[in-house]
Amino acid sequence: MALKMVKGSIDRMFDKNLQDLVRGIRNHKEDEAKYISQCIDEIKQELKQDNIAVKANAVCKLTYLQMLGYDISWAAFNIIEVMSASKFTFKRIGYLAASQCFHEGTDVIMLTTNQIRKDLSSPNQYDTGVALTGLSCFVTPDLARDLANDIMTLMSHTKPYIRKKAVLIMYKVFLKYPESLRPAFPRLKEKLEDPDPGVQSAAVNVICELARRNPKNYLSLAPLFFKLMTSSTNNWVLIKIIKLFGALTPLEPRLGKKLIEPLTNLIHSTSAMSLLYECVNTVIAVLISLSSGMPNHSASIQLCVQKLRILIEDSDQNLKYLGLLAMSKILKTHPKSVQSHKDLILQCLDDKDESIRLRALDLLYGMVSKKNLMEIVKKLMIHVDKAEGTTYRDELLTKIIDICSQSNYQYITNFEWYISILVELTRLEGTRHGHLIAAQMLDVAIRVKAIRKFAVSQMAMLLDNAHLIASNTQRNGICEVLYAAAWICGEFSEHLEEANQTLEAMLRPKVTTLPGHIQAVYVQNMVKLYASILQQKEQSGEKEAAQEITQLMIERLPQFVQSADLEVQERASCILQLIKYIQKLQIKEVPVAEEVIALFAGELNPVAPKAQKKVPVPEGLDLDAWINEPPSDSESEDEKPKTIFHDEEQRHSRHKQPEIDEEELARRREARKQEQANNPFYIKSSPSPQKRYQDTPGVEHIPVVQIDLSVPLKVPGMPMSDQYVKLEEERRHKQKLEKDKKKKKQKKEKRGKHHRHNSLHTESEEDIAPAHHVDIITEEMPENALPSDEDDKDSNDPYKALDIDLDKPLADSEKLPVQRHRNAEDLKSPDSEAPLAEKKSKKPKKKEKKHKEKERDKGKKKEKEKKVVEEEEEKKGEDLDFWLSTAPPPASTSQLQSEPEVSAAVVAEPEGVKKEEREEQEEEEDEAKKSSKHKKKKHKKEKEEKSKDKKKSKKKHHHSEEETTESVQNGTLDDEPLPPMSSYHLLAENPYIKMTYDIQGNLQNDSQVTVSVIFENKSTSFLKSMELNVLDSLNTKMIRPEGSSVHDGIPVPFQLPPGISNEAQFVFTLQSIVMAQKLKGTLSFIVKNDEGSTHEKLDFKLHFSCASYLITTPCYSDAFAKLLESGDLHMSSIKVDGISISFQHLLAKICFHHHFSVVERVDSCASMYSRSIQGHHVCLLVKKGENSVSVDGKCSDSTLLSNLLDEMKETLSKC
Amino acid sequence: SCGDKQEWKDKGHAASLCLVPVSLCPPTSLSWCRGSAWTQLQGLKSSSLLLFSGPEIHFILLFSRQGKLRLQKWYTTLPEKEKKKITREIVQIILARNQKTSSFVDWKDLKLVYKRYASLYFCCAIEDQDNELLTLEVVHRYVELLDRYFGNVCELDIIFNFEKAYFILDEFIMGGEVQETSKKSAVKAMEDSDMLQETVEEYMNKPAF
């Protein structure tokens, strides 16, 4: 023995420690990998020894190697050994290694459960601490479930050091095991008022993190946090709370109003930049959520902008960067306040830090107006010239184009200027964005009819100077603009003055060096040019000139026929033959021009980007079906023609419309008009009658916007965009003078109405009329366009699972699992919604009752106290409304404030609070039960632990494998996760709003149900004045405020900013509940956006299923048996085949959707119970066969029963 | 480890490795903090009233100017491969950045906040809504803690006692949240648990015969 010890310590002396390893690695720079693999071999030897110190040393070295990128997962078991060392030094190393390399996939991790539990309850706080820290890194769902209860206990540990860590780790536990949130939350909430500031801030941390993901569940905590915010001096806590409020305000605009004042105070007073920045950000967020017209708060915005200006002016790059970032948020809603700091932002464009320049560019995008666009772009153009490095220059280029083209060229008053800018940009060398410029040229030339003449002249010039541009033939290089130039000159050749010259430029030999797709466009468009020249010459009778031009084509085209590019070659040879044929005809003196022109007849219309997607699929057409059998894989797809510009493609693929009768056309036209009226981006037509192009079929419905204007300008020579800036200024000046004159005249004529008129024209940019006769042709949509498709919501969000209502009382089934043997029959609640599953117990009922009574006696005092507390808490919840409404109502929102109390029937409380009242009674009962059960469990647990220990001591020699199987049992049996379920069903939906609803029976009133409707604003507009109306039936009526008639709707007591949802409740009275009901209804509302407001309606059908009249009521099996025996129940049964889901899920579904609770469950058979609001008992016996389910039901009303079973059949057949 | 430091100093490495907290650092000494890192520190110091804690940090990386990883702590679980890839990517991004630029980089849907102290880069990944300035203070606080513990901490301290660096970090940040707002108690927790360790180590270092 002694010898062994000596040997051990000698070994130790020869072992490398961590320092030796590090030093060794540094000394073996050349053969590091070899050295390390040597070390790993040594480590493997060390790990085989019994000495824990040696093992720990080895694990420590491994951890270092892991950081260098070596895989150490093979040592996971050794790490666990070191974790379970009794010495803190080793334990610490073990946990560190585990936290660095364990993850959910590590299979031995389940072996750690018991060790961690032991460490958590260690008398040494540092053991506990190290276990908690380690666990926070590698907690898995299994560990979370098994240890949640232990950690929760630690939240009340005597040492703040432990409390703090336990509170923090709870967040990780919630994420992995969402079921623990509700049971643990009350204690977590307590910790907000912990005497230790560290614990307190940890609790704030966790709750803020939780609330950030699912804010609506935490609205009821708002008053508490508000108190903390106004009392705390800890800047860190403040920042967290402020962030939390930022997340809450979109849900409760009134909260925002309350916040503005304390936040602005903080902004004024704090000297901590991080706090200042947080406050500013939150104020911005709040004001955004309150966006619609808040004149009172312009001061706050002003303050924010001022402070941000200070940040931006700071020499610290970080502050500058953040200032600009925050500024861009303000810009979205309050562009005017930011625009006044244009100087500063333009200054940032000169900053040496590229990231700051880019931020400033972002800001510019939103700062332009009709007034300053030219000026800003001019500055940017100067920067383009100065910029070093192509990346930044390219960024500038794209920004210039973005800025100018945003919202349908809204800010461009002079398109000649814009074309000149684009042409100037073509002189940039080495840009990658040639295609962008080209796309803009095409777009403008096509959509702005009035500019075509000018555009064509500029493009002709580009073609003429192609040699300057063509030098850069790389992909997406600047030569792409020639693509646009050639196409524009060809397509709009009627505007060309020197068509011959342009044609010649296009036929130059140099052209053949251009990329293939550009040459192809050249070839195609020279024919268009040729056609128009031909026509011109023929009309003027210049036969010879016509023949000359034909000859020119025949001479020059062969150079394209020889092209290596297939597309070019094909087009050229085709066209060459065509022209040769024309030549023949010309020689015979046959007039050909008309027919050649006919090749390119037809007007080009822009198509909306989404148009293709919106074409409805005709009935009976399966797009996925093969037309021919699929070809073998061997065929290569390499030779697909590359199409770079889809415009071109659309032109060719324009399909023929089937003939439509007049009536249908008129109807569609009407529909389109309606759609355009709703489209904020559609520039509405002036009152003057629209010009109609009746002669060309299919063109009359192209919306053309006409804007009156002064004389078109013409600037001779090469375009210099600067000239336009000057000219524009002069023009505006002139315009203003004229307008002033007019105004004076107006004043004289009608003084009375004048001021109203004037208010619309507050020195605004609307005054600036565009310089050209500009028609912007809006994009076309296909006939019968489908409504816009919804964005898919991310269903993989890990935080979704934490979207749990925390204000509801705890159901029995929701307790955290305590260490005990798992009972295979235990049911888990599918959702917090239904307190199902009274735990099945095999003990005689009497005993249980007796026990309960005892407990009750004991706990009477306690209960009383509890009641008081509960009542207080309840008050707190109700107080939210009160608390919020005590703020002095700002003038502009008085409407909102006064509305909520209009009717007793409408209750719009924040989510969490609403159910409290209803379940008050239940809660009390539950509490009582819980306390008794808890004690019982504890007792049981102790016993179990003892017996387990005994077993263990017997089994000790079995060692670890035994342990593995045991923990598997602990962890995975009977633990299928239940699928997420929602009790909310879709009510109706249109592009503006989506309504989902849920119906709950009312315990207090046997003839009432409450319908909770969630309104979700899907649009980017503000929805207001929502009113919900329902057509009452004889049996079912909506409760309306006193004095209103049955035809009146009930106003929804809130407004909806874009993207926000909120819930309102409506109460209905019923006479009979034995049948399902359907009520028709309508929601009317006003859509308000920048373009104005429109009135909208949405029809729906409210479906009252029989299940919605049931209230989940627990029932004990003895009472249940009595009920069945009583014999005055009607019976009925159903059977459903093809059931594949597990019995547990099936029961959960019935509980959840049909409001039943499980009375007793044996194997694959369960009895269930529920009660209707009018007191009907409903008993079910559910039996599961191979893949079928039979449900036998008994109920005091036979109609109700058969209807219920029918509904159930439908649910089950969906399984 | 003291001897180690000496050893390296002799080779002329240590001079540039010193990590000195701002408060002790005379502004003329360029070898400690270069370029904007210096101005940042100044800015923060003058404006920080903060007793702070913080944002949800996704991970923390420490790496040298040569791109060698010195410490990594992940608060989100990711496969090992992914971690390596991310680390490589981020080290590249940050090393490539000009020293005069701001300390913030948008990276995927996260924000990287980094700061250079002498030859070491400290980098945190935070979420979009989180406060960058606060994160900078977190980083700075960590450096201060290291300095308190090691006494004039330098890169070598972190290399040779990397487990200690982790322990300090664990006392300061847990699960991505700052757990200790007070410098004093964080250091005290470290020292106390080291006390436990010392006794064991003494035992270890004693020859067993």
Side-chain angles (χ1 to χ4, degrees), chain A residues 581-612:
Chain A
Y581 180 66
I582 293 171
Q583 194 178 35
K584 273 185 200 161
L585 292 175
Q586 273 182 332
I587 293 169
K588 287 181 198 161
E589 305 214 340
V590 182
V592 284
E594 285 308 318
E595 280 154 58
V596 179
I597 279 280
L599 283 174
F600 308 105
E603 182 81 1
L604 192 74
N605 303 317
V607 176
K610 279 187 190 163
Q612 185 61 47

Side-chain angles (χ1 to χ4, degrees), chain A residues 543-562:
Chain A
K543 277 180 195 159
E544 272 179 29
Q547 285 180 3
E548 256 170 47
I549 200 89
T550 312
Q551 188 56 36
L552 179 75
M553 291 289 279
I554 290 175
E555 276 167 21
R556 299 279 183 85
L557 269 173
Q559 60 183 336
F560 295 106
V561 177
Q562 290 154 13

